[in-house]
């Protein structure tokens, strides 16, 4: 009791915190795909301190980690603009798409300089590559061509590994292709394809064809549609070592695992009311794999959090008891699993976990961390641990929405008696995505200063089944706004937030929800939009191919539903927007162009509403540079201080 009383009483928002903007980005990395290469484990790291460069790291059996790419190279692709699947290691070579020119390169693991193996395109970055596999002298991968004179063309091609010839087109015609995967014999190729206006979480098909390489030519046989179709999302095909094909499908409204039998029928391997699959915004995603004895190790999301489990040979599912609430890039060895894992009290690490015990009663062995998180030098008492919350939403409270709630947490201060904290309502992007269940210093930056934070999994989010995901169909700008307002008011009614000091922030699609909420409601005292959508009509007309028909489902077919687009666009309702707003925008953003943010800022300036605009040279969609992240956090905190009437501590 005496320790409690010795702590000074400090107003919310003014709490001193060691979680500075510099600490948020200092030595920080974003861990990407994990791939296995014999005894080696490889992964990618997006490094803000290196200007957002993506490095590939290889860990050898002696326990040392080696950076593979020399200065000036970055393994990052622009296919679909969101990228992913930009590199692969095979037989002593690293194959990767280099960020600056988007050409496919290779680098010997024995050393040397990367060399391009795809032809120089007619214009810079006109040909882009992703999602690679190697077979008999060819890299089989997705290519996206921007020299068509119209919409970009997405194809599966075979590129000679030594750069000795032109890529051979294997699959063309569908609007989109992904996940080219080879059978263990190399005699069959499978892939995912879909067409406008679908997104990969709407309706996809899994296709297969025989494959033959003869006289330097790659030939495909007749294409057969194995699974999928209207109203079914099939993703992530994986061949087991015995040649059995598996996939994830949401035909039961949850992304579960299925095996494809010899006669082409699908047999359910899991029957969970939980999501193994996640929305395929990027290439190279992996949520499951197989041990040597045929058992499947998989990650799944339930109640907004990830778990890892093993499917026994008898069909039983056993959850492994691991301290991870977010799991990504699952890669499976003969007797262990390697993945990127994080928790609410720990940043992401690359970890290997042996699978021990009986085949039908597996347990996790002692984890081995292959890539440590940075040493933050902080007592865990500084970390706010999220709680999954559900609450009524909708006009009559008929729906249930979900969120992760973070209370303000600071071991060095005492909050004022009888006072509730200001609240930051965080809106994830996508909008087909979900709040991430891991330690994120960008969130702890707020909670350690006396803000409560709620990360909302509004209707349309993933992780809660297809019906919940489809709540946003035709209702973007309605359901998401209702759920974000409901989250804020629910916490205020519980005494966990100050009703007069509610703030809302989000980026990309989350930025749209921020603007829409400020237009439709006077609940929020301030808002922050990062590269947010202000004009749905402009987005429909200007955005890149991957999302060019995304709004058909979220809003309505365009231009037939143009009146709906205009009605939902915040830019057309600035007369109703009176809350102070701060706006951040990358000036090289191809997904949400800068004019989206500039239109809102100019309209609010003309109206006399308090508004700040922070444009950033050299940033695309999502901020990757350390200096940008620091500038955003500092500016936003100072902005809230001015609006809410407190003086932030440095």
């Amino acid at each position: 009791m005496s320790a409690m009383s010795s702590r000074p009483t400090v107003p919310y928002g003014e709490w001193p915190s060691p979680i500075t903007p510099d600490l948020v980005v200092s030595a920080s990395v974003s861990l990407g795909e994990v791939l296995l290469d014999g005894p080696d484990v490889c992964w990618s790291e997006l490094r803000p301190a290196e200007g957002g460069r993506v490095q590939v790291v290889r860990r050898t059996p002696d326990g040392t980690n080696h950076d593979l790419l020399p200065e000036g190279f970055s393994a990052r692709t622009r296919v679909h603009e969101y990228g992913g699947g930009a590199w692969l290691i095979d037989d002593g070579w690293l194959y990767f798409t280099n960020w600056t020119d988007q050409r496919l390169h290779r680098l010997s693991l024995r050393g040397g300089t990367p060399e391009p193996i795809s032809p120089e395109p007619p214009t810079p970055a006109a040909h882009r590559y992703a999602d690679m596999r190697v077979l008999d002298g060819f890299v089989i991968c997705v290519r996206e061509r921007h020299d068509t004179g119209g919409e970009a063309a997405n194809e599966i091609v075979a590129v000679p590994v030594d750069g000795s010839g032109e890529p051979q087109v294997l699959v063309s015609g569908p609007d989109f292709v992904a996940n080219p995967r080879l059978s263990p014999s190399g005699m069959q190729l499978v892939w995912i394809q879909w067409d406008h206006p679908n997104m990969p979480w709407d309706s996809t098909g899994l296709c297969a064809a025989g494959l033959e390489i003869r006289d330097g030519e790659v030939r495909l046989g007749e294409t057969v549609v194995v699974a999928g179709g209207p109203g079914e999302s099939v993703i992530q095909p994986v061949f087991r070592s015995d040649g059995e094909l598996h996939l994830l499908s949401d035909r039961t409204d949850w992304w579960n695992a299925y095996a494809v039998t010899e006669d082409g029928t699908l047999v359910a391997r899991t029957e969970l009311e939980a999501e193994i699959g996640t929305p395929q915004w990027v290439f190279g995603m992996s949520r499951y794999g197989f041990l040597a004895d045929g058992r499947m190790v998989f990650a799944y999301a339930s109640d907004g959090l990830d778990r890892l489990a093993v499917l026994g040979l008898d069909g039983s599912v056993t959850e492994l008891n691991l301290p991870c609430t977010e799991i990504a890039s699952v890669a499976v060895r003969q007797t262990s699993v390697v993945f990127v894992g994080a928790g609410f009290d720990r940043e992401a690490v690359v970890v290997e976990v042996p699978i021990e015990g009986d085949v039908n009663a597996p347990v996790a062995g002692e984890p081995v961390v292959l890539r440590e998180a940075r040493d933050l030098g902080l007592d865990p008492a500084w970390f706010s641990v999220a709680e999954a919350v559900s609450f009524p939403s909708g006009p009559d409270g008929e729906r249930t929405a979900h969120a992760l709630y973070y209370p303000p947490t600071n071991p060095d201060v005492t909050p004022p008696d009888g006072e509730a904290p200001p609240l930051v309502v965080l809106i994830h992007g996508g909008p087909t995505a979900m709040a991430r269940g891991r330690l994120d210093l960008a969130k702890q930056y707020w909670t350690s200063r006396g803000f409560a934070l709620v990360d909302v999994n509004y209707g349309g989010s993933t992780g809660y089944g297809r019906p919940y995901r489809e709540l946003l169909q035709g209702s973007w700008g309605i359901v998401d706004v209702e759920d974000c307002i409901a989250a804020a008011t629910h916490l205020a009614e519980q005494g966990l937030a100050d009703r007069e000091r509610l703030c809302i922030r989000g980026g990309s699609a989350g930025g749209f929800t921020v603007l829409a909420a400020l237009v439709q409601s006077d609940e929020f005292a301030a808002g922050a939009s990062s590269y947010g959508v202000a004009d749905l009509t402009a987005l429909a007309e200007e955005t890149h191919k991957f999302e060019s028909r995304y709004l058909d489902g979220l809003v309505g077919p365009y231009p037939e539903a143009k009146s709906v687009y205009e009605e939902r666009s915040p830019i057309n309702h600035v007369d109703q927007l009176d809350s102070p707003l701060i706006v951040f925008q990358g000036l090289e953003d191809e997904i949400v162009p800068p004019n989206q943010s500039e239109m809102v800022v100019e309209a609010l300036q003309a109206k006399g509403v308090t508004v700040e605009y922070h444009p950033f040279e050299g940033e695309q969609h999502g901020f990757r540079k350390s200096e940008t992240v620091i500038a955003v956090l500092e500016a936003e905190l100072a902005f809230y201080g001015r609006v809410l009437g407190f003086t932030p501590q440095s």
Side-chain angles (χ1 to χ4, degrees), residues 353-394:
V353 178
I355 308 298
E356 300 175 347
D358 183 80
V359 292
N360 293 319
V363 295
E366 188 65 28
V368 177
V369 177
L370 309 181
R371 205 291 185 191
E372 296 276 2
R374 55 185 170 154
D375 182 6
L376 298 172
L378 295 174
D379 189 303
W382 282 98
F383 301 146
S384 177
V385 176
E387 173 191 354
V389 296
S390 300
F391 45 90
S393 185

Side-chain angles (χ1 to χ4, degrees), residues 256-292:
N256 272 273
Y258 293 81
V260 182
T261 64
E262 290 186 1
D263 64 3
T265 59
L266 266 60
V267 177
R269 289 289 191 242
T270 62
E271 298 179 274
L272 306 173
E273 288 195 356
E275 302 271 45
I276 300 177
T278 54
Q280 287 206 178
W281 282 102
V282 298
F283 294 94
M285 302 179 78
S286 175
R287 294 280 283 182
Y288 70 107
F290 295 93
L291 300 166

Side-chain angles (χ1 to χ4, degrees), residues 92-103:
W93 292 90
L94 167 64
Y95 301 90
F96 69 99
T97 298
N98 188 40
W99 170 249
T100 54
D101 60 9
Q102 290 298 293
R103 294 174 70 184

Side-chain angles (χ1 to χ4, degrees), residues 227-309:
E232 180 179 6
S233 171
V234 292
I235 56 174
Q236 294 185 32
V238 174
F239 282 100
R240 203 164 60 180
S241 61
D242 61 1
E244 187 173 64
L245 176 61
H246 290 72
L247 54 85
L248 302 180
S249 168
D250 67 352
R251 56 175 48 192
T252 61
D253 289 337
W254 302 87
W255 269 310
N256 272 273
Y258 293 81
V260 182
T261 64
E262 290 186 1
D263 64 3
T265 59
L266 266 60
V267 177
R269 289 289 191 242
T270 62
E271 298 179 274
L272 306 173
E273 288 195 356
E275 302 271 45
I276 300 177
T278 54
Q280 287 206 178
W281 282 102
V282 298
F283 294 94
M285 302 179 78
S286 175
R287 294 280 283 182
Y288 70 107
F290 295 93
L291 300 166
D293 58 16
R295 289 179 295 168
M296 184 173 73
V297 184
F298 63 96
Y300 69 96
S302 178
D303 296 326
L305 304 177
D306 278 341
R307 297 165 174 82
L308 196 70

Side-chain angles (χ1 to χ4, degrees), residues 21 133 149 173 219 222 290 324 330 336 355 369 454 470 535 586 649:
R133 293 295 184 269
R219 303 174 182 175
E222 181 182 357
F290 295 93
C324 295
V330 176
S336 65
I355 308 298
V369 177
V454 62
E470 291 185 338
D535 186 343
Q649 299 294 308

Side-chain angles (χ1 to χ4, degrees), residues 453-469:
L453 187 145
V454 62
D455 205 350
V456 186
N457 276 320
Y458 48 84
S461 301
T462 56
Y464 301 89
R466 186 173 184 120
Y468 193 77
R469 190 166 82 235

